Amino acid sequence: MSNNNPAGKRGDSRVPRHIAIILDGNGRWAKKRGLPRTAGHAVGAETFRRIATYCREIGVEYLTVYAFSTENWRRPEAEVSTIMKLLGKYLHEAIDTMERDHIRMKVFGDVQGLSPELRALVDKTDEISQRYEGFQANICLNYGGRDEILHAARRYAEDYAAGRADGELTEDGFASYLYSAGVPDPDLLIRPGGEQRISNFLLWQCAYAEFYFTDVLWPDFTPEELDKAIAVFNSRDRRYGGVKG
Ligand code: FPP
């Protein structure tokens, strides 16, 4: 399949412009195989790489994944440190691929809470992303939906107090203070791993997203599973609060 798909259409099927995924089930995947949870995260990182490549091939413009929440720091230190190492390794490797394939990559979240090494990698991916257009992968890292909204409200209040913003705050104006500024809202939110909740992910942005839940654990998630989710998305009737014409 090619990514030469400007209309976002594939056969009779519409490809969602923006897909968001909650990466869930890595720990259970590992436990089922008698492996440490961290082994599940390593396979989960590879799954992310494969799914991101597939999204780009089929003409998805934005893929946003929930990799580490503001609450995930409560996990055992060894697990947190493995996830951070995997993210560092991934960002490091991604920097070369981005340059080669002209991919944009952004981190959404409170980067001040990350290690200086990770922050430097985030700065580098930001800098490269500014040079290109096209597919964009967003990794939510030290991210929480409520935290994002609070952070945006504080930044707006600061701008208002400093005379940089007027008092006419609109939805679009507020969205420009979110980590996702400039990125269209997700059309499809996928949660593998069997849970059916949003877990503080993209609370503002998912106002009109279609939700797709599956029991498949994230490390087992394949391009075929993504195709199934897209087929379900295509069967939905999106009305955005209106009525069908
Ligand atoms: C959820 O599974 C997964 C995480 C909290 C970590 C996800 C992180 C990675 C896959 C590492 C690298 C990521 C990228 C994007 C390169 P879980 O541990 O909650 O699984 P469980 O519900 O089965 O315990």
Side-chain angles (χ1 to χ4, degrees):
M1 239 165 276
S2 89
N3 65 351
N4 190 10
N5 185 20
K9 287 206 61 132
R10 199 160 47 115
D12 288 335
S13 157
R14 264 201 89 75
V15 175
R17 186 173 184 206
H18 183 175
I19 296 181
I21 308 181
I22 298 178
L23 308 183
D24 195 17
N26 294 346
R28 278 165 288 158
W29 183 94
K31 199 171 166 213
K32 268 179 29 185
R33 287 161 177 79
L35 297 169
R37 293 175 56 80
T38 47
H41 296 316
V43 178
E46 285 309 314
T47 305
F48 167 70
R49 199 193 297 271
R50 195 159 55 245
I51 294 299
T53 305
Y54 185 64
C55 281
R56 181 168 169 265
E57 279 172 10
I58 65 174
V60 173
E61 290 178 46
Y62 299 90
L63 171 69
T64 303
V65 295
Y66 203 4
F68 196 84
S69 73
T70 42
E71 289 74 38
N72 285 152
W73 297 105
R74 295 183 200 135
R75 294 187 176 210
E77 207 183 313
E79 183 172 343
V80 170
S81 132
T82 300
I83 295 174
M84 291 301 154
K85 276 198 197 113
L86 279 169
L87 285 159
K89 179 170 171 272
Y90 180 81
L91 288 176
H92 202 75
E93 289 166 5
I95 285 169
D96 294 336
T97 326
M98 291 169 71
E99 293 276 22
R100 192 190 63 211
D101 297 339
H102 296 191
I103 288 173
R104 290 180 292 168
M105 180 168 300
K106 288 281 173 68
V107 167
F108 292 173
D110 184 1
V111 290
Q112 297 312 318
L114 302 176
S115 68
E117 292 78 22
L118 269 182
R119 280 208 305 269
L121 290 169
V122 171
D123 287 346
K124 181 78 185 155
T125 55
D126 273 351
E127 185 248 305
I128 298 171
S129 298
Q130 279 164 20
R131 283 188 243 143
Y132 303 119
E133 294 195 341
F135 179 74
Q136 178 169 328
N138 304 307
I139 300 183
C140 295
L141 193 47
N142 196 21
Y143 175 89
R146 288 184 175 181
D147 184 63
E148 177 182 36
I149 292 168
L150 262 182
H151 182 260
R154 286 197 193 107
R155 283 185 50 224
Y156 170 74
E158 278 166 21
D159 278 359
Y160 181 73
R164 290 186 296 263
D166 62 26
E168 299 297 312
L169 187 60
T170 59
E171 289 190 6
D172 284 348
F174 188 73
S176 73
Y177 285 91
L178 297 171
Y179 297 130
S180 60
V183 173
D185 287 345
D187 304 290
L188 172 62
L189 170 74
I190 300 175
R191 182 166 191 158
E195 310 291 355
Q196 302 200 0
R197 53 178 174 259
I198 194 165
S199 298
N200 203 15
F201 186 44
L202 302 178
L203 295 180
W204 174 280
Q205 298 87 340
C206 279
Y208 289 103
E210 295 294 332
F211 287 16
Y212 176 83
F213 299 106
T214 170
D215 288 339
V216 172
L217 303 174
W218 175 247
D220 288 328
F221 199 89
T222 56
E224 290 71 33
E225 295 296 335
L226 191 78
D227 282 344
K228 271 193 224 167
I230 293 176
V232 170
F233 170 80
N234 274 290
S235 71
R236 303 262 176 91
D237 178 20
R238 302 184 83 193
R239 292 189 300 278
Y240 301 94
V243 288
K244 218 175 167 191

